[in-house]
Amino acid sequence: MISCKNLLSVVLLAMAVAPAAEAQSIYCPVQRNVDMLDHVRRKQATRREFILPDVNGFHVYKADLHMHTIYSDGSTTPEYRMQEAWYDGLDVIAITDHVEYRRWEGKMLSFLKGYLPEGTKAVNDRLITQPANEKGIQTDLNVPYKAAAALENKYGITVIPGAEITREPVAIGHYNALFIKDANTLYDADPAVSMKNARKQGALIMHNHPGWSRKTVKMTEFENKVYGMNLIDGIEVMNGGEFYPTIVQRAKDYKLFMSANTDMHGTTLMDYVGDQRNMTLILAKDKSLASLKEALKERRTLAYSFGTIAGDEQLVKDFFLACVKFEVFYTNDKGRRSIRMTNMSSVDYVINFGSYSLQLRPFTSRDVTADKGKSVTFTVENMWIPGDAKHPVISVNP
């Protein structure tokens, strides 16, 4: 039998002799089964790395702080969420299933009917639209976190325990409680009390998709109430394909960490075809729960979605200058310098020099010119900061 290595050599030789011929399927024998061949051309999934530099002495961890599973209204298991996150290049995730809404619960009980007392039904699984009865929530809402956390060592991904406090979106909205101790004790008919219950557990609370299902992001009476009670620690400036530029300013005004998350219900394979999924970039010493929580409290985060980055001005500038290196590689006899910009990250930048713009793709270099002693000043158009300028203006003089 021809070995896989020799067979590949034969195929390569044939291609060299007849370069016009299309490549054929290659089969390799499977040592454990003499009657089996492997399709070598089969494409297998691999982890998609998204390379980012350290910034200000901190590692930049890629996180998704908002996603759902079959234990609320998602379409996949927590175990799949971990596998998916690993393939997508993440370091941190939070499983944030709804406390009040669990659309699969009835089907789960039906599947398990042989194990349950006759007449067992799902109750209080839609507390967004109906009041709770005397039975209360009877499911173990900590199961999705436990299932994902059991795989932390396998995938090297930290799982933040979380849950989503959910009400109708226009007057009240949705809020993620992160770093909770027990999801089963969060619920109250009053969503503000649910937030207080989370705070008693040491949780940080993030305002989710503040513009979803609304005609404006103007703050509602309920939002003014809970913001005024200092119950909100962070906010999504990007959720899925939605971007709320004015929320960047709100985050600064209320001292909230900024985030971008998928709010994934289906799969990233379907929702981010060819694109990197949304990520909250967390600048932390390490990816322990304590370090991640400290970073969020100190607002060392950037929001990334579809090539756009948002954050506080200084952090945005520091991040850019950590990603892009500037060096003089030539000076002519008139003192005119050629300056090389090298992008050492997976981020794609759009840079405006006033009279022209250019795209600095990941792991590429572009050249600009400047007179000796003069700085190069530019605007990074796909980065957003608070204030009227919207985009950071950066000057360098290498």
Side-chain angles (χ1 to χ4, degrees), residues 253-320:
D253 293 341
Y254 286 90
K255 296 181 171 56
L256 310 176
F257 69 80
M258 298 186 210
S259 68
N261 305 298
T262 62
D263 194 0
M264 187 54 55
H265 290 70
T267 68
T268 57
L269 180 65
M270 294 187 295
D271 288 3
Y272 292 86
V273 181
D275 279 303
Q276 175 66 42
R277 66 191 282 170
N278 286 10
M279 299 181 296
T280 301
L281 306 180
I282 304 175
L283 282 68
K285 287 295 185 183
D286 56 59
K287 56 181 178 179
S288 66
L289 289 178
S291 288
L292 294 169
K293 185 176 182 180
E294 185 271 339
L296 293 180
K297 290 177 70 173
E298 294 299 319
R299 303 175 57 239
R300 291 197 306 272
T301 65
L302 297 168
Y304 177 92
S305 178
F306 294 101
T308 297
I309 293 177
D312 285 335
E313 182 174 3
Q314 191 58 54
L315 188 56
V316 162
K317 290 180 177 180
D318 291 346
F319 180 83
F320 177 86

Side-chain angles (χ1 to χ4, degrees), residues 26-148:
I26 301 172
Y27 308 94
C28 285
V30 179
Q31 299 301 320
R32 66 182 182 276
N33 189 328
V34 297
D35 297 316
M36 187 189 306
L37 296 175
D38 269 348
H39 288 277
V40 178
R41 287 185 61 191
R42 176 185 57 165
K43 291 181 174 64
Q44 293 178 296
T46 55
R47 178 173 165 90
R48 180 181 182 181
E49 296 294 352
F50 197 83
I51 307 301
L52 300 173
D54 290 353
V55 179
N56 297 333
F58 295 102
H59 301 303
V60 181
Y61 293 109
K62 296 150 286 185
D64 189 344
L65 304 179
H66 189 176
M67 64 182 73
H68 300 278
T69 75
I70 58 172
Y71 292 99
S72 62
D73 61 342
S75 300
T76 71
T77 63
E79 292 84 353
Y80 178 85
R81 286 281 175 247
M82 287 291 279
Q83 183 183 49
E84 177 183 59
W86 186 85
Y87 282 125
D88 289 343
L90 296 191
D91 307 302
V92 180
I93 69 168
I95 301 291
T96 55
D97 279 318
H98 300 280
V99 172
E100 307 85 355
Y101 179 52
R102 302 176 301 285
R103 70 184 178 95
W104 297 103
E105 195 166 295
K107 292 182 179 179
M108 291 179 181
L109 292 175
S110 178
F111 179 74
L112 296 171
K113 65 181 180 180
Y115 297 87
L116 300 170
E118 187 69 27
T120 301
K121 296 180 180 179
V123 295
N124 293 342
D125 59 346
R126 284 171 173 74
L127 297 181
I128 302 171
T129 57
Q130 65 187 35
N133 66 21
E134 69 283 355
K135 289 187 176 182
I137 297 174
Q138 295 178 276
T139 52
D140 184 358
L141 301 178
N142 297 312
V143 165
Y145 163 71
K146 292 177 181 178

Side-chain angles (χ1 to χ4, degrees), residues 182-199:
D182 183 3
N184 296 318
T185 61
L186 295 183
Y187 177 74
D188 189 273
D190 182 344
V193 175
S194 290
M195 293 183 196
K196 290 180 181 178
N197 292 339
R199 182 71 89 224

